[in-house]
Amino acid sequence: MNTHEKYMMRCIELASLGAGKVSPNPLVGCVILKKGKVISEGYHKKYGAYHAERDAITKAKRKGIDLKGSTLYVNLEPCSHFGKTPPCDELIIESGIKDVIIGMKDPFHLVSGKGIKTLKKAGIKVKAGILEKECRRLNRFFCKHAVTGMPYVTIKTAQTLDGKIANLKYDSKWISSIESRKIVHAMRSRYDAVLVGSNTVKHDDPELTVRLTKGRDPYRIVLDKMLEGTIKRKTYTDRNKKRTILITSKLADKKKSETLRRRGITVLTCGTKGGKINIKEALMKLSALGISSIIVEGGAQTYIEFIKKRLVDEFVIFIAATVMGKGIDAFGEPMDFKEFKVRNYFLSGNDIVVNYRKN
């Protein structure tokens, strides 16, 4: 690694500390150097809090450090517009920083090169594209949401060697190891929401919360076109029920829908297509609520709908060292994954974990 890459990697490490707390904003870290020494660091800690640049600059000023002639590293282009906080590009200029090293340009339309342009116009030397691939991977949720207006979607499955996710009685419970389940709970803490179909709620009665690691609970999304099942399940009744979003149709039981609304549950009504809820419309409505990343955790029919509509960005597949024989297939029918590539694979307990991503 050269010097720029070294400090950009540090920006990425700092940015990662905000995972699960800043959405729908991006993960951003910042390092400031003067005369070859780090004089301040910062990162975006939570939504509405200081951006990384402002965090690092403010820390330095509180210590009485003169920033004139310093170099600022940041993994994402400094913002140039008023949002929850004032623009970072103006603060950088006011601080007398002479060089700004950027990981990647911000794809959000209100920034998208404007921050770089403002800095250059003020006489600051700007270099962009340092570890760009790594920076883009870090903020893949934000990038997808900013460019398309749609959430980033990851399908997570836990399956046997012969591709089963449950036995025929739906009472097989845990397939993956405890180590794998801890990974899944950590994933939940970083994503905005977890989504399941009505069959998963009916047969598994899942909590869909973070329990095996530290982290905040995601929103819980249930796809249920008719709302025919019981509304006494945990997703509708437990202490986190106000973080449950039901996606249903006009065909749903109106009394049940109203009961859920009175409990504080968000009910979104979507159109249907081919007898199924219009998944794309549902994702657009979820995006409008500020949800920029979703893990789809089941079941098979829900997986198939997302795959057929080409709405999946990533797969995380946990494969347990066991064979079930007769059971429920993970996907139920042939699927073409040619556009996905294996990005990572590793052992988790006795499980093999394979990560497929488009980019």
Side-chain angles (χ1 to χ4, degrees):
M1 273 191 184
N2 61 36
T3 300
H4 286 340
E5 290 173 342
K6 173 186 173 182
Y7 290 114
M8 191 57 64
M9 186 55 70
R10 178 57 181 160
C11 289
I12 291 172
E13 290 172 357
L14 289 166
S16 300
L17 297 174
K21 302 166 189 170
V22 304
S23 181
N25 282 352
L27 296 164
V28 186
C30 178
V31 178
I32 304 176
L33 274 73
K34 190 169 184 179
K35 296 180 180 178
K37 292 184 179 180
V38 175
I39 57 173
S40 191
E41 293 183 335
Y43 70 98
H44 188 30
K45 294 179 174 64
K46 64 179 181 179
Y47 181 69
Y50 281 171
H51 288 185
E53 304 95 316
R54 187 170 293 274
D55 186 39
I57 290 171
T58 301
K59 285 177 181 175
K61 288 183 175 180
R62 282 174 181 167
K63 293 177 182 177
I65 297 172
D66 183 5
L67 293 171
K68 287 183 180 178
S70 61
T71 298
L72 181 145
Y73 286 82
V74 64
N75 59 290
L76 187 72
E77 176 185 3
C79 66
S80 55
H81 67 291
F82 277 88
K84 290 282 183 180
T85 58
C88 291
D89 57 358
E90 291 181 5
L91 180 64
I92 292 169
I93 294 166
E94 292 167 4
S95 300
I97 292 167
K98 70 168 186 175
D99 294 284
V100 175
I101 314 300
I102 298 168
M104 63 172 282
K105 188 169 82 170
D106 192 331
F108 184 50
H109 70 279
L110 290 178
V111 185
S112 193
K114 295 183 180 73
I116 292 174
K117 186 176 179 181
T118 303
L119 294 174
K120 286 182 175 179
K121 192 175 180 180
I124 294 173
K125 293 180 182 178
V126 179
K127 185 175 179 64
I130 307 300
L131 296 185
E132 184 173 358
K133 186 177 178 181
E134 291 81 356
C135 291
R136 194 169 294 279
R137 183 167 62 241
L138 171 74
N139 270 312
R140 59 192 185 278
F141 301 168
F142 171 76
C143 291
K144 168 81 181 291
H145 193 239
V147 172
T148 69
M150 297 277 279
Y152 187 96
V153 175
T154 295
I155 280 182
K156 186 280 298 180
T157 70
Q159 61 189 61
T160 59
L161 285 171
D162 55 343
K164 310 299 180 183
I165 58 174
N167 61 24
L168 295 177
K169 293 181 179 179
Y170 289 95
D171 60 4
S172 45
K173 198 62 177 173
W174 306 118
I175 287 177
S176 57
S177 66
I178 183 64
E179 292 87 354
S180 293
R181 297 202 296 278
K182 286 179 181 179
I183 292 171
V184 172
H185 282 231
M187 286 176 61
R188 288 177 182 173
S189 74
R190 295 192 296 268
Y191 280 71
D192 290 341
V194 177
L195 183 149
V196 295
S198 56
N199 278 340
T200 299
V201 172
K202 176 183 176 182
H203 295 296
D204 295 348
D205 192 16
E207 293 180 59
L208 304 176
T209 54
V210 176
R211 302 181 302 283
L212 300 178
T213 187
K214 289 182 179 180
R216 65 97 176 91
D217 291 324
Y219 282 95
R220 303 175 300 187
I221 304 166
V222 179
L223 291 180
D224 193 338
K225 183 182 74 172
M226 300 294 289
L227 197 50
E228 292 177 317
T230 177
I231 57 173
K232 295 181 180 180
R233 294 300 193 220
K234 292 170 187 172
T235 48
Y236 301 131
T237 58
D238 67 13
R239 62 184 177 84
N240 286 310
K241 60 182 178 291
K242 290 184 179 180
R243 290 182 68 81
T244 295
I245 301 170
L246 170 67
I247 297 176
T248 189
S249 72
K250 292 178 181 178
L251 304 173
D253 186 311
K254 289 180 173 55
K255 287 186 179 178
K256 286 183 179 178
S257 293
E258 190 52 42
T259 297
L260 293 177
R261 283 192 177 96
R262 286 199 297 269
R263 291 179 190 172
I265 290 165
T266 300
V267 180
L268 300 179
T269 302
C270 292
T272 57
K273 213 170 184 179
K276 308 281 186 180
I277 286 175
N278 187 327
I279 299 290
K280 189 170 183 179
E281 180 187 343
L283 290 179
M284 290 174 69
K285 288 190 174 184
L286 290 167
S287 178
L289 294 178
I291 291 174
S292 63
S293 58
I294 296 171
I295 310 175
V296 180
E297 291 202 20
Q301 289 304 312
T302 303
Y303 294 151
I304 289 168
E305 281 303 300
F306 273 87
I307 295 166
K308 280 184 174 179
K309 299 297 187 295
R310 302 175 72 86
L311 294 169
V312 184
D313 300 287
E314 185 171 347
F315 288 87
V316 180
I317 301 177
F318 295 81
I319 305 169
T322 183
V323 172
M324 187 171 286
K326 292 182 179 180
I328 308 300
D329 291 317
F331 301 110
E333 57 184 86
M335 293 287 167
D336 183 0
F337 299 138
K338 288 180 181 177
E339 62 187 309
F340 295 89
K341 294 181 181 179
V342 176
R343 298 299 179 185
N344 191 17
Y345 60 91
F346 56 94
L347 287 174
S348 174
N350 286 327
D351 302 337
I352 299 169
V353 186
V354 188
N355 176 218
Y356 298 85
R357 280 204 306 270
K358 282 184 179 179
N359 300 307

